[in-house]
Amino acid sequence: MALVVPSVLSADFGRLAEQVQAAEAGGADRIQIDVMDGRFVPNITVGPLVVEAIRRNCRLPLEVHLMIVEPERYLADFANAGGDLLIVHQEASPHLHRTVEQIKRLGKKAGVAINPATPLATLQEILNDVDLVLNMTVDPGFGGQDFIQSMLPKIERLRAMITQHGASCDLEVDGGIHAETAPLAVRAGANVLVAGSSVYGDAEGVAAGIARLRASLS
Ligand code: DX5
């Protein structure tokens, strides 16, 4: 069964600890924290201080999605703040192998993300070195966007590529994941689902949002 990873981007930051604890109580597998710098993406969110605050209020593994330029400069900060899985963007990492090795030397799991228009070929040399590949299903920067349907064949090709390379990394998708798109993404080959607005925007609450996602996969 696919992992469900709520993204706090769509949470109520006025009561972030409660919101994270609601996701934990609701059966989330991990929590994703979206870090944005206003340069790699046209939005600014949080830094290591917020990761640290979430770490103090949650027992789940934390994945930190670094939508920033020069992510290699901040890996130790996010590792020390409590990030368990650090995800950098291929588009922002000209020395991706060195950056992945740096994450591993910090004792953390390493992930690499690619934007919708970035070719899968950019990943083939790093697949066997990372714990997770994140295939973005929206253009990063904001929650609540629509799932880009043309990503489905890309997810299928990425799953085939992982198999062909004998890699063991997870295939994560992020952006517009809800009860309708989640089964499509899983059928295409995703095994980790990031969901922000469909979890934190569920009228019946966070646990119901997570349950709805899981029910869509059964
Ligand atoms: C990039 C962010 C968002 C967020 C999920 O923009 O990574 O994709 O996590 O947002 P939803 O689930 O609301 O599309």
Side-chain angles (χ1 to χ4, degrees), residues 7-10 32 34 36 41 65 67 134 136-146 174-178 194-199:
S7 154
V8 298
L9 184 66
S10 303
Q32 187 188 83
D34 286 310
M36 302 180 188
V41 291
H65 180 189
M67 288 166 273
L134 167 49
M136 291 302 295
T137 45
V138 295
D139 290 303
F142 303 92
Q145 300 180 86
D146 290 339
D174 175 0
I177 300 296
H178 47 64
V194 174
S197 47
S198 64
V199 168

Side-chain angles (χ1 to χ4, degrees), residues 129-158:
D129 297 309
V130 295
D131 301 288
L132 176 140
V133 174
L134 167 49
N135 192 106
M136 291 302 295
T137 45
V138 295
D139 290 303
F142 303 92
Q145 300 180 86
D146 290 339
F147 181 90
I148 300 173
Q149 291 289 332
S150 64
M151 288 296 103
L152 288 172
K154 186 179 179 183
I155 296 164
E156 285 176 359
R157 286 186 283 114
L158 176 52

Side-chain angles (χ1 to χ4, degrees), residues 12-193:
D12 176 352
F13 272 67
R15 52 194 187 95
L16 189 53
E18 283 170 47
Q19 293 266 271
V20 169
Q21 287 157 2
E24 183 170 1
D29 292 292
R30 288 201 290 262
I31 295 289
Q32 187 188 83
I33 302 157
D34 286 310
V35 176
M36 302 180 188
D37 64 359
R39 289 184 59 204
F40 183 72
V41 291
N43 195 2
I44 298 175
T45 57
V46 300
L49 273 181
V50 173
V51 173
E52 204 176 325
I54 292 173
R55 180 68 291 159
R56 285 199 307 274
N57 287 280
C58 168
R59 288 183 299 272
L60 289 175
L62 303 181
E63 62 176 63
V64 182
H65 180 189
L66 294 167
M67 288 166 273
I68 63 175
V69 299
E70 300 178 321
E72 67 282 359
R73 293 178 57 196
Y74 304 97
L75 297 174
D77 293 334
F78 284 103
N80 295 335
D84 299 293
L85 164 60
L86 306 183
I87 303 171
V88 298
H89 266 263
Q90 183 280 332
E91 302 89 349
S93 306
H95 304 290
L96 182 54
H97 180 270
R98 177 182 290 138
T99 301
V100 166
E101 291 304 305
Q102 195 182 337
I103 293 171
K104 290 179 173 179
R105 280 199 300 276
L106 288 165
K108 303 302 178 180
K109 289 189 180 298
V112 58
I114 54 170
N115 289 332
T118 301
L120 291 177
T122 61
L123 294 177
Q124 63 185 22
E125 309 306 331
I126 204 72
L127 272 183
N128 292 89
D129 297 309
V130 295
D131 301 288
L132 176 140
V133 174
L134 167 49
N135 192 106
M136 291 302 295
T137 45
V138 295
D139 290 303
F142 303 92
Q145 300 180 86
D146 290 339
F147 181 90
I148 300 173
Q149 291 289 332
S150 64
M151 288 296 103
L152 288 172
K154 186 179 179 183
I155 296 164
E156 285 176 359
R157 286 186 283 114
L158 176 52
R159 175 51 68 190
M161 192 170 162
I162 291 169
T163 304
Q164 190 186 9
H165 283 72
S168 56
C169 56
D170 285 328
L171 197 173
E172 182 174 76
V173 291
D174 175 0
I177 300 296
H178 47 64
E180 288 70 40
T181 56
L184 302 178
V186 169
R187 197 174 309 137
N191 68 307
V192 185
L193 304 169

